[in-house]
């Protein structure tokens, strides 16, 4: 069995109402439509972000930007502070150690030159100075492992070069002691080592702080002055012993004098502080400094070739130079303290600035974030309030529609009261939503009233059409009794069957319009008769095989709706199974009632369609007929609606034959007990033919009966005779024993027996019809409406001629579709 066009439409309606059920074809269709609508390209200007995203952007963008700026500024200040702090620490650590090594090498250079110029002179001072230099070198060598990543640029290379050059110090000393090194070699080596120390001074003088760098450069120049004076002293030291200077030595002395004078006058003196200027002035005005300067002037004024040096001048030079170097070292010490203090103050000031900036920046970030969060929260609350009004409208409108569907009156002012919102933009939006709510509710009320009026009109038209159909059925019955022409009867039977189906379709229209069918029974009816009545409303009824176990009876209030439900399901089974495949109907009493199984051998359905159909049977949706005006696929909805009203359980399953198996469970409260049999007129027991039937009843179209028939048509089917009804379609007679007679052919087809389908209580003798004549030999075959037409008319006649029941007894009512309350 497959779903008819009626049922597929109902599935779509059901799936759209339930929304979340999986496997519903209609729900998938709705989602596909909505998905297709959502996937339609939008212009770039119409793309919208969710509200939460917009508010988060408003909160996060300024907050993240401010936090980023604060973090970057703090990081930069922190890096600068760390750099200056490390540079200051390196300067205070490396500077003194390098100065000690620098001064030691200066003195050792002079003493070495004196020792080489006078080999016989005492070397006690040189040995002592070498020990001082070794101590200074051992203190300086660990600086090679110092962390200088954040220190001054080039400091690590300068320290490494100094350690590398001083590493040859022991070798050069041995050369001096053994006499393998002359004065020039020793002078060149010590000068190279001192220059390495000068590069260390130059490296630590260039820092991140400009003020400290300026002070450090003055200190570098002062050490350069010391180096030039020491270089001049070393050159003169090797000339005092011989009393003369070579031209090369003279040039070295003159260059050294000119260099330290330039450094003092041009670079040191203008950059000294007040206290340092006083020291500088005292140094330059001292007798020792003047003596040394006078001796230097005499040397510069003398001829450069073979300058004579006297021992007296050597003593004056020594005294003046030592005193001048002492004053220079004093000035260097004072300036180093000033430079270190300035560096420490700069580091302290930068640290304070870093902490204050970080704290103020953090406070500003927190304030901005808090204010932004508060504003976005207020904005979100107001937007959510407007959204709540929209949701309230979304929830209120279905409730109003549901109340209107139940026939209640709805007051628009009570459902949507007037609001008094603020006068800003959100207030305007709230007023617009309130106006939209009132308009929507008012429109819903008006449409519901129009819909109810349309349903009432539709039901009224359908009721009138049903009356006309009933009159048409009566007229057809009269014509069938009046005419004997086979061709006319065949046409009348076809019209009768079509009219019966039309009546069912009109009942469908009534049900879809919110009404209920009016076919009513006043007494219980056997289930077999219910199944046969449903079979009579199916076009291809010959393929339907009915098998009933026992003889159950159906309550009078369930007969009409159950006939309608079974007829719809039988019609569906025959429509979607290929002829001549049979459609099997089995009815079996179960613990909770009666189970009627309708099984076909068609193509079946998909698993999702079964799931959707069963979900529809459980919860049929409320349908608006006006919205489905162009859709006639509503049969399954009618089944679901009637089943819900009666409390029936309908379930669709796959069949073992590949088709569909429908199980209709009639609950126990709709199952009636069989009425007690009525005794005959003489008060005796019921007739024998009123005995309980056999446990199982099968019906698959006309069946053979006992005795000969009045006449048969060309195709072997029974023909209609006045006064006789086709009761043998329900009363099964035993088949004749033995093989068929070869003279007469196969066993005759079933013959209609008067009152064979009635219960014993309704059987009564009918007056003979003297005008009845046997059917002509050429009677045509019966159409699909023969059974339904014969049953209706014959039962009506039998019911009219039945004996009245005895007082106090219950008499079952025959199953006649003409009984409409």
């Amino acid at each position: 069995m497959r779903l008819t066009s009626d049922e597929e439409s109902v599935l779509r309606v059901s799936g759209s109402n339930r929304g979340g059920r999986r496997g519903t074809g209609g729900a998938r269709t709705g989602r596909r439509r909505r998905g297709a609508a959502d996937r339609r390209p939008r212009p770039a200007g119409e793309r919208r972000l969710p509200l939460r995203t917009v508010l988060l952007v408003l909160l996060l963008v300024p907050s993240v930007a401010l936090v980023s700026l604060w973090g970057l500024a703090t990081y930069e200040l922190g890096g600068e502070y760390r750099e200056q702090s490390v540079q200051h620490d390196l300067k205070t650590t490396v500077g003194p150690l390098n100065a000690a090594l620098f001064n030691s090498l200066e003195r050792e250079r002079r003493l070495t030159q004196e020792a080489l110029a006078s080999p016989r002179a005492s070397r006690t001072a040189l040995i002592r100075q070498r020990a001082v230099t070794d101590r200074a070198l051992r203190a300086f060598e660990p600086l090679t492992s110092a962390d200088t990543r954040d220190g001054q640029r080039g400091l690590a290379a300068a320290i490494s070069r100094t350690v590398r050059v001083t590493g040859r110090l022991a070798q050069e000393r041995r050369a001096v002691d053994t006499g393998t090194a002359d004065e020039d070699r020793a002078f060149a080596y010590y000068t190279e080592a001192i220059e390495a120390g000068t590069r260390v001074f130059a490296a630590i003088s260039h820092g991140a702080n400009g003020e400290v760098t300026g002070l450090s450069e003055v200190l570098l120049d002062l050490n350069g002055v010391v180096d030039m004076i020491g270089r001049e002293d070393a050159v003169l030291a090797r000339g005092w012993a011989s009393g003369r200077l070579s031209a090369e030595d003279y040039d070295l002395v003159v260059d050294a004098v000119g260099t330290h004078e330039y450094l003092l006058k041009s670079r040191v003196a203008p950059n000294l502080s007040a206290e340092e200027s006083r020291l500088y002035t005292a140094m330059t005005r001292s007798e020792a400094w003047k003596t040394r300067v006078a001796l230097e002037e005499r040397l510069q004024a003398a001829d450069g070739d073979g300058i004579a040096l006297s021992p007296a001048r050597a003593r004056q030079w020594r005294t003046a130079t030592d005193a001048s170097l002492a004053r220079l070292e004093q000035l260097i010490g004072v300036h180093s303290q000033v430079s270190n203090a300035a560096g420490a103050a700069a580091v302290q000031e930068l640290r304070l600035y870093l902490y204050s900036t970080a704290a103020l920046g953090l406070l500003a970030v927190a304030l901005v974030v808090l204010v932004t969060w508060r504003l976005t929260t207020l904005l979100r609350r107001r937007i959510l309030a407007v959204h709540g009004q929209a949701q309230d409208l979304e929830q209120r409108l279905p409730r109003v529609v549901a109340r209107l569907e139940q026939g209640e009156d709805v007051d628009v002012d009570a459902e949507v009261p007037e609001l008094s919102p603020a006068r800003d933009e959100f207030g305007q939006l709230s007023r617009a939503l309130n106006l939209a709510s009132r308009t929507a509710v008012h429109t819903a009320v008006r449409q519901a009233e129009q819909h109810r009026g349309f349903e009432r009109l539709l039901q009224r038209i359908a009721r009138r059409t049903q009356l006309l159909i009933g009159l048409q059925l009566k007229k057809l019955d009269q014509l069938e009794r009046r005419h004997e022409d086979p061709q006319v009867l065949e046409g009348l039977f076809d019209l009768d069957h079509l009219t019966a189906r039309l009546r069912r379709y009109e009942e469908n229209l009534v049900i879809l319009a919110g009404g209920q069918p009016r076919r009513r029974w006043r007494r219980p009816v056997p289930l077999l008769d219910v199944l046969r009545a449903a079979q009579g409303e199916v076009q291809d009824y010959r393929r339907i095989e009915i098998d009933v176990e026992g003889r159950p009876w159906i309550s009078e209030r369930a007969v009409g709706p159950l006939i309608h439900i079974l007829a719809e399901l039988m019609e569906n089974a025959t429509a979607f199974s290929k002829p001549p495949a049979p459609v099997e109907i089995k009815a079996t009493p179960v613990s909770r009632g009666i189970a009627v199984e309708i099984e076909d051998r068609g193509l079946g359905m998909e698993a999702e369609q079964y799931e959707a159909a069963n979900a529809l049977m459980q919860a049929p949706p409320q349908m608006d007929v006006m919205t489905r005006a162009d859709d006639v696929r509503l049969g399954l909805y009618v089944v679901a609606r009637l089943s819900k009203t009666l409390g029936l359980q309908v379930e669709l399953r796959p069949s073992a034959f590949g088709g569909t198996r429908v199980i209709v469970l009639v609950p126990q409260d709709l199952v009636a007990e069989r009425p007690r049999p009525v005794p005959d007129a003489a008060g005796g027991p019921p007739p024998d033919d009123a005995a309980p039937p056999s446990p199982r009843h099968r019906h698959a179209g006309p069946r053979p009966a006992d005795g000969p028939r009045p006449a048969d048509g060309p195709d072997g089917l029974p023909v209609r005779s006045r006064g006789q009804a086709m009761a043998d379609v329900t009363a099964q007679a035993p088949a004749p024993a033995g093989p068929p007679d070869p003279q007469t052919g196969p066993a005759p087809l079933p013959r209609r027996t008067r009152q064979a389908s009635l219960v014993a209580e309704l059987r009564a003798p009918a007056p003979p019809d003297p005008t009845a004549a046997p059917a002509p030999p050429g009677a045509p075959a019966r159409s699909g409406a023969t059974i339904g037409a014969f049953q209706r008319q014959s039962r009506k006649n039998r019911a009219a001629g039945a004996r009245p029941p005895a007082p106090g007894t219950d008499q079952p009512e025959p199953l006649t579709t003409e009984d409409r309350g």
Side-chain angles (χ1 to χ4, degrees):
M1 185 195 305
R2 295 182 61 84
L3 294 178
T4 61
S5 59
D6 317 33
E7 300 154 357
E8 293 177 358
S9 172
V10 173
L11 287 183
R12 287 201 298 272
V13 176
S14 172
S16 63
N17 288 342
R18 286 188 299 275
R21 290 188 178 270
R22 186 175 65 87
T24 305
R28 292 199 307 273
T29 303
R31 286 193 294 269
R32 286 196 297 269
R33 292 175 179 174
R34 291 192 295 270
D38 294 339
R39 289 192 297 271
R40 286 181 298 180
R42 281 183 182 174
E46 293 186 4
R47 295 181 180 176
R48 302 180 180 89
L49 293 176
L51 173 62
R52 185 181 298 274
T53 304
V54 173
L55 295 179
L56 285 177
V57 169
L58 292 178
L59 173 63
L60 293 179
V61 167
S63 302
V64 171
L66 188 59
V67 168
S68 301
L69 292 176
W70 170 77
L72 181 61
T74 304
Y75 177 78
E76 292 292 337
L77 285 176
E80 186 178 356
Y81 166 73
R82 183 174 60 255
E83 184 179 7
Q84 291 192 22
S85 177
V86 171
Q87 291 177 359
H88 175 71
D89 293 341
L90 288 174
K91 181 180 178 182
T92 56
T93 302
V94 176
L97 297 178
N98 187 63
L101 181 61
F102 177 83
N103 293 328
S104 298
L105 289 174
E106 287 281 355
R107 295 188 186 94
E108 187 174 345
R109 179 177 61 178
R110 179 179 62 80
L111 293 174
T112 301
Q113 292 296 317
E114 290 178 354
L116 290 175
S118 302
R120 297 179 181 179
S122 175
R123 296 192 174 187
T124 304
L126 177 61
I127 293 173
R128 288 198 298 267
Q129 185 59 41
R130 284 179 177 178
V132 174
T133 303
D134 289 341
R135 290 195 297 270
L137 183 60
R138 285 193 300 270
F140 184 83
E141 286 178 350
L143 295 176
T144 56
S145 60
D147 186 9
T148 59
R149 288 176 297 178
D150 294 328
Q152 293 85 344
R153 184 179 300 177
L155 179 60
I159 293 175
S160 299
R161 185 175 184 275
T162 301
V163 173
R164 186 171 60 253
V165 172
T166 55
R168 306 197 316 264
L169 182 61
Q171 180 181 355
E172 295 296 333
R173 286 173 177 176
R174 285 193 301 270
V176 170
D177 294 340
T178 57
T180 56
D182 56 3
E183 297 173 354
D184 293 335
R185 175 181 172 181
F187 181 80
Y189 169 73
Y190 281 102
T191 301
E192 180 183 3
I194 293 171
E195 286 180 352
T198 304
R199 292 188 178 182
V200 174
F201 281 128
I204 64 177
S205 64
H206 296 85
N209 189 284
E211 180 183 0
V212 177
T213 299
L215 295 174
S216 299
E217 288 179 352
V218 174
L219 186 63
L220 174 63
D221 294 333
L222 286 173
N223 283 290
V225 172
V226 173
D227 181 26
M228 291 298 106
I229 294 176
R231 186 178 300 185
E232 180 185 357
D233 189 18
V235 173
L236 292 175
R238 64 188 182 187
W240 296 121
S242 62
R244 300 184 65 85
L245 283 176
S246 64
E248 292 80 4
D249 293 342
Y250 177 78
D251 292 338
L252 291 174
V253 171
V254 172
D255 290 340
V257 172
T259 301
H260 76 71
E261 286 182 354
Y262 165 76
L263 292 175
L264 283 174
K265 294 178 180 180
S266 300
R267 298 181 61 87
V268 174
N271 296 313
L272 294 177
S273 62
E275 182 180 358
E276 293 171 347
S277 296
R278 287 193 298 271
L279 290 175
Y280 177 78
T281 301
M283 179 186 68
T284 55
R285 292 180 180 180
S286 63
E287 292 297 330
W289 187 271
K290 293 180 179 179
T291 302
R292 187 186 61 77
V293 172
L295 290 174
E296 289 175 349
E297 291 177 351
R298 292 191 186 98
L299 289 174
Q300 290 177 350
D303 188 4
D305 187 11
I307 298 175
L309 300 176
S310 63
R313 291 181 178 177
R315 288 192 293 271
Q316 292 178 359
W317 173 263
R318 181 80 275 131
T319 302
T321 301
D322 291 341
S324 298
L325 290 175
R327 286 184 174 272
L328 274 176
E329 291 178 359
Q330 181 184 2
L331 180 60
I332 290 173
V334 172
H335 191 76
S336 296
Q337 292 178 1
V338 172
S339 178
N340 292 337
V347 172
Q348 182 67 22
E349 181 181 359
L350 184 60
R351 181 174 61 185
L352 180 61
Y353 181 69
L354 172 64
Y355 289 164
S356 61
T357 302
L360 291 177
L362 183 60
L363 181 62
V365 168
L367 183 62
V368 170
V369 172
L370 180 62
V371 171
T372 308
W373 175 80
R374 180 62 178 172
L375 292 178
T376 53
T377 302
L378 293 176
L379 181 62
R380 184 171 181 269
R381 287 178 181 175
R382 300 197 64 182
I383 295 176
L384 289 179
V386 177
H387 183 258
Q389 295 179 7
Q391 284 185 335
D392 183 62
L393 171 62
E394 181 183 1
Q395 297 175 1
R396 184 188 301 115
L397 191 58
R399 292 198 299 265
V400 170
V401 173
R403 291 170 56 189
L404 292 172
E405 290 178 352
Q406 297 175 1
E408 298 182 12
D409 293 330
V410 175
D411 186 5
V412 178
D413 295 332
E415 292 296 330
V416 187
E418 291 286 348
L419 297 179
S420 298
R423 295 185 178 180
D424 57 359
E425 289 78 4
F426 287 101
Q428 296 175 2
L429 181 59
S430 298
R431 284 192 294 271
L433 285 177
N434 184 255
L435 179 60
S437 302
R438 294 178 62 85
T439 304
V441 173
H442 181 71
T443 304
V445 171
R446 185 172 56 186
Q447 289 182 351
E449 292 175 353
Q450 293 177 355
H451 179 64
R452 285 203 298 264
F454 176 77
E455 286 185 344
R456 289 192 296 267
L457 177 62
L458 194 63
Q459 292 183 26
R460 189 177 300 114
I461 294 175
R463 298 297 186 190
R464 293 181 179 179
T465 306
Q466 286 181 336
L467 293 177
L468 295 177
I469 291 174
L471 295 176
Q472 184 177 350
L473 287 174
K474 292 181 180 179
K475 187 64 176 178
L476 288 174
D477 289 339
Q478 295 175 2
L479 293 175
E480 289 171 1
R481 290 194 302 269
R482 184 180 305 167
H483 293 279
E484 298 294 340
D485 187 357
Q487 294 182 355
V488 174
L489 285 176
E490 184 176 4
L492 292 175
F493 293 153
D494 291 337
L495 289 176
D496 188 283
H497 188 66
L498 291 175
T499 305
R501 294 176 63 192
L502 180 60
R503 177 179 56 189
R504 178 162 55 89
Y505 295 153
E506 288 296 325
E507 288 182 353
N508 287 350
L509 187 59
V510 172
I511 294 171
L512 295 177
Q516 291 294 328
R518 288 189 176 182
R519 284 193 288 177
R520 296 290 184 269
W521 277 257
R522 293 186 294 272
R523 293 182 180 85
V525 176
L527 176 61
L528 181 59
D529 292 344
V530 174
L531 294 173
R532 288 170 179 169
Q535 180 186 13
E537 296 185 6
V538 178
Q539 180 179 5
D540 199 3
Y541 73 95
R542 294 183 182 89
R543 294 166 49 199
I544 299 176
E545 298 180 359
I546 299 176
D547 185 5
V548 180
E549 182 177 347
R551 190 168 177 82
W553 289 62
I554 301 299
S555 176
E556 61 276 7
R557 66 184 181 90
V559 173
L562 186 58
I563 291 175
H564 198 119
I565 292 173
L566 296 175
E568 289 287 343
L569 296 176
M570 291 179 186
E571 183 79 25
N572 196 30
T574 57
F576 287 96
S577 60
K578 186 177 180 180
V583 175
E584 298 181 356
I585 313 295
K586 297 181 180 179
T588 306
V590 293
S591 59
R592 292 188 297 171
I594 298 175
V596 180
E597 301 179 10
I598 303 173
E599 186 173 14
D600 63 58
R601 302 184 183 183
L603 298 178
M605 297 187 298
E606 300 295 334
E608 295 180 354
Q609 292 178 320
Y610 283 118
E611 183 178 356
N614 291 327
L616 175 63
M617 294 297 107
Q618 295 294 329
Q622 294 290 338
M623 286 194 58
D624 187 358
V625 181
M626 297 178 66
T627 61
R628 315 301 299 181
D630 297 332
D631 198 344
V632 295
R633 297 171 294 181
L634 304 172
L636 194 57
Y637 173 78
V638 173
V639 173
R641 186 74 175 271
L642 292 177
S643 301
K644 184 70 174 180
T645 304
L646 284 178
L648 304 181
Q649 295 183 13
V650 181
E651 182 178 359
L652 284 75
R653 297 179 181 177
S655 172
F657 300 103
T660 300
R661 183 182 184 187
V662 184
I663 301 176
V664 181
L665 179 61
V666 181
Q668 192 65 43
D669 57 348
L670 298 181
V671 179
E673 295 183 359
R674 180 185 180 187
R676 290 177 297 177
V678 180
D680 57 6
D688 296 337
D689 55 1
S694 59
R696 301 183 68 89
H697 296 268
R698 293 189 60 89
H699 172 62
R703 294 185 179 274
D706 295 336
R709 300 172 302 172
D712 289 337
D715 55 355
L717 293 177
V719 296
R720 188 171 186 270
S721 298
R722 182 176 299 276
Q724 291 186 347
M726 292 185 63
D728 58 352
V729 296
T730 59
Q732 179 180 2
D741 190 354
Q743 300 295 330
T744 61
L749 291 176
R751 178 184 178 187
R752 186 179 180 118
T753 304
R754 182 176 180 81
Q755 299 186 3
S757 62
L758 293 179
V759 296
E761 294 84 348
L762 299 180
R763 292 182 181 179
D769 189 0
T771 62
R782 295 303 185 197
S783 66
T786 54
I787 294 180
F790 279 141
Q791 282 183 346
R792 285 192 300 272
Q793 187 60 36
S794 61
R795 288 174 182 171
K796 182 177 179 182
N797 294 336
R798 287 195 299 272
R803 293 193 304 269
T809 61
D810 295 331
Q811 179 181 4
E813 183 178 1
L815 182 61
T816 167
T817 58
E818 299 301 326
D819 187 5
R820 293 184 293 272

